[in-house]
Amino acid sequence: MRPCLTDRRTGFTLVELMVASASIGLLVALFVPAAQDARDIARSVACRNQMKQIGLGFHNYHAVYNSLPAAWYARYADGDSVSWTGWSFALLPYLDQAGLYNRGTDVATNPQWPTVPDIPTVPLSAYRCPADTLGDMNPMRGGFAINNYSGNAGSKAFPRLYSGAMQQYWPGSLPAVFEPAAKQDRLTAGIFQLNGRVGFRDIVDGTSNTLMASERAATSGAGIWMGVRSNQMENDVITEFSEHARLNASITGASSFHNSSVNALLADGSTRVLSQDIESGPVVAGQIKVLQALAGRMDGTPLSSF
């Protein structure tokens, strides 16, 4: 007689299903933030690579002219509504954009924006951080093509700000700040200003201790690569690092969409990640805070690490 075969059905018990579901949920919960972190890191690395190319452009420009470009070029400093070309336009030939530069105005003879109407609205990937959420045009700055990188104007607040509060007529009609190198305050002098011609010889603190440029995200209005819309709008192309302009917390300061940090380009062409909690504040008893010391090119403050 053949033995009776027992009917054994295979499958998962309810407990096993619950354990499996919980395990999958746990894995997803661990994987999603890790994937997001990986994307954030990749965007930050790509952003720094962009800044390194800009740094190389600055060095090539300096090799030709024995100075860095001005923040922007203007025939006069009075408050006005004339648009002037800035450092990012002057740098175009050194960022593989000589054709676009040649279509525009020669800044040596006519620093006003080019008469070719489409040039200020041409998007340039060289000036875009992949983490920024704005489109190709900057709606906060006249709808012109965006620039996520901004020159270091030093640690002196822009003239439209006083004690951290906006003046009644901001941006108003105040003239743009222009101080010859011989008259600049050594504690606050940066690299870029109206018609300025700072060279590496003028960066007394050393190029590896001085900021050249930083990020500007939508949270700080970003910038535009063509230049300034008028002498009243310095932060179209430059950024201040005063005690009123903490990282990721000011309309005139540096900012980014990276994780609690801002990428920065040093004058030697290298890049650094600056924590948004970097030491910042007014000068107390002659002591300069780290962020302000980085922005100053001749304050004489030693920087061991930052």
Side-chain angles (χ1 to χ4, degrees), residues 19-37 39:
V19 171
S21 298
S23 300
I24 293 172
L26 180 60
L27 290 173
V28 171
L30 293 173
F31 174 76
V32 171
Q36 183 63 44
D37 288 344
R39 285 194 293 268

Side-chain angles (χ1 to χ4, degrees), residues 39-49 130-131 258 261 263 273:
R39 285 194 293 268
D40 291 342
I41 292 172
R43 293 189 187 108
S44 182
V45 170
C47 175
R48 291 197 297 276
N49 287 337
H258 305 306
S261 64
N263 288 329
V273 179

Side-chain angles (χ1 to χ4, degrees), residues 55 57-59 61-62 65-71 73 87 91 191-192 196-201 203 212 267:
F58 278 127
H59 279 251
Y61 182 101
H62 192 282
Y65 296 102
N66 199 31
S67 72
L68 296 164
Y73 301 85
W87 66 262
L91 226 59
I191 291 180
F192 296 102
R197 302 291 290 181
V198 171
F200 291 139
R201 62 191 173 278
I203 305 177
M212 179 84 82

Side-chain angles (χ1 to χ4, degrees), residues 108-278:
T109 58
N110 184 5
Q112 292 185 22
W113 280 22
T115 56
V116 183
D118 68 312
I119 288 182
T121 57
V122 175
L124 293 177
S125 59
Y127 291 134
R128 292 305 312 275
C129 169
D132 195 270
T133 58
L134 281 183
D136 290 333
M137 304 303 142
N138 191 339
M140 294 172 283
R141 300 193 183 276
F144 298 107
I146 194 172
N147 186 357
N148 286 129
Y149 306 110
S150 186
N152 166 28
S155 60
K156 188 174 184 178
F158 289 151
R160 270 143 285 283
L161 296 178
Y162 180 75
S163 298
M166 290 185 178
Q167 292 184 349
Q168 181 179 0
Y169 298 108
W170 187 89
S173 58
L174 294 175
V177 174
F178 174 69
E179 296 176 344
K183 294 184 179 180
Q184 288 178 359
D185 185 339
R186 70 175 185 85
L187 296 181
T188 61
I191 291 180
F192 296 102
Q193 65 166 330
L194 165 65
N195 291 341
R197 302 291 290 181
V198 171
F200 291 139
R201 62 191 173 278
D202 302 309
I203 305 177
V204 180
D205 291 348
T207 56
S208 61
N209 294 315
T210 307
L211 292 175
M212 179 84 82
S214 64
E215 288 188 85
R216 283 288 292 279
T219 51
S220 289
I224 48 180
W225 67 259
M226 193 68 225
V228 294
R229 291 165 291 163
S230 77
N231 283 337
Q232 307 162 21
M233 299 176 178
E234 295 99 332
N235 61 337
D236 283 349
V237 294
I238 54 178
T239 291
E240 61 152 301
F241 293 90
S242 73
E243 64 268 26
H244 308 300
R246 291 169 40 236
L247 302 188
N248 288 331
S250 167
I251 193 64
T252 57
S255 63
S256 81
F257 284 111
H258 305 306
N259 187 20
S260 302
S261 64
V262 172
N263 288 329
L265 173 69
L266 298 182
D268 65 357
S270 65
T271 59
R272 297 292 293 269
V273 179
L274 302 181
S275 168
Q276 67 183 26
D277 299 321
I278 189 172

